[in-house]
Amino acid sequence: MPTLTLVAERTPIKAYELTTSAVNIGRGEDMDIVIDNVSVSRRQARVQPAADGRWVVEDLSSANGTYVNGERLAAPTPLSRGDEISFGKFSLFFDRVMKLPIQEREVGVKPELPRPSETFHMDLKEVERLRKTLALKRRAHLKWEARGKQDTFYLERLERSAVLVGQSPLCDLRVPAGPKHHVLVLRNRTGYEVRNLSSWHRMRVNGAVVAQAPLKGGDVIETRGLRLTFFDEIA
């Protein structure tokens, strides 16, 4: 059976197994998944099986809205593995294995969270900030490691479709070690690819020496002390 993993501010709290019944989510005591927090409405959202066998999520006219992968729900929406249902400071990951340990896995036990007396209406600016944060995390990005340092570079920071990586001031993504300016990551009609612009220095993608290669989520690019991990955008 699929699961919903409750996450509060990126920390897994509890996993719920889905059966064949609808699951109501909210702050009210009559909900199946009770989240007693001011950022959650009494009736927030519902996850239920559809006739075609898929699971769908819908917002229950909540005060601050329900989002899937950063997009606010306007109608019942089918769920895919790894989808993030979010509201306020909370998320539910659909059938996704979390790397961090879950504090409590017994189905039916309510997480011990602050109990408010009424629903808190978030400021519109705060709602928009949360939406943008979630949307950004699902964009295509590179995680780089060099000389003991690491960071994340989101590829849509630039208006143009190509990102030059290296130590040179001419680079879009400047790193403390690695090539001067000969690794190019660019978007084409079908997705992303990486090119080695140097005829002297080798570049490896997933261990294989290449001059050019298409990229998919999880691919590792290595050259001259620089390690790049590519994460594709999630629709």
Side-chain angles (χ1 to χ4, degrees), residues 1-6 12-17 96-98 100-109:
M1 287 292 180
T3 60
L4 288 173
T5 301
L6 177 64
I13 295 177
K14 182 180 176 184
Y16 297 85
E17 289 185 359
R96 180 170 179 173
V97 177
M98 305 300 294
L100 296 175
I102 294 173
Q103 298 174 6
E104 183 181 27
R105 290 197 61 92
E106 290 137 1
V107 177
V109 179

Side-chain angles (χ1 to χ4, degrees), residues 178-221:
K180 186 175 181 181
H181 48 231
H182 66 248
V183 172
L184 185 69
V185 177
L186 67 157
R187 185 168 192 168
N188 54 34
R189 289 178 296 177
T190 59
Y192 285 87
E193 65 177 88
V194 62
R195 297 179 185 177
N196 182 8
L197 305 182
S198 171
S199 57
W200 294 96
H201 303 290
R202 290 183 174 183
M203 178 185 72
R204 288 180 169 83
V205 176
N206 300 329
V209 177
V210 295
Q212 179 178 344
L215 291 173
K216 62 182 184 300
D219 282 350
V220 177
I221 307 158

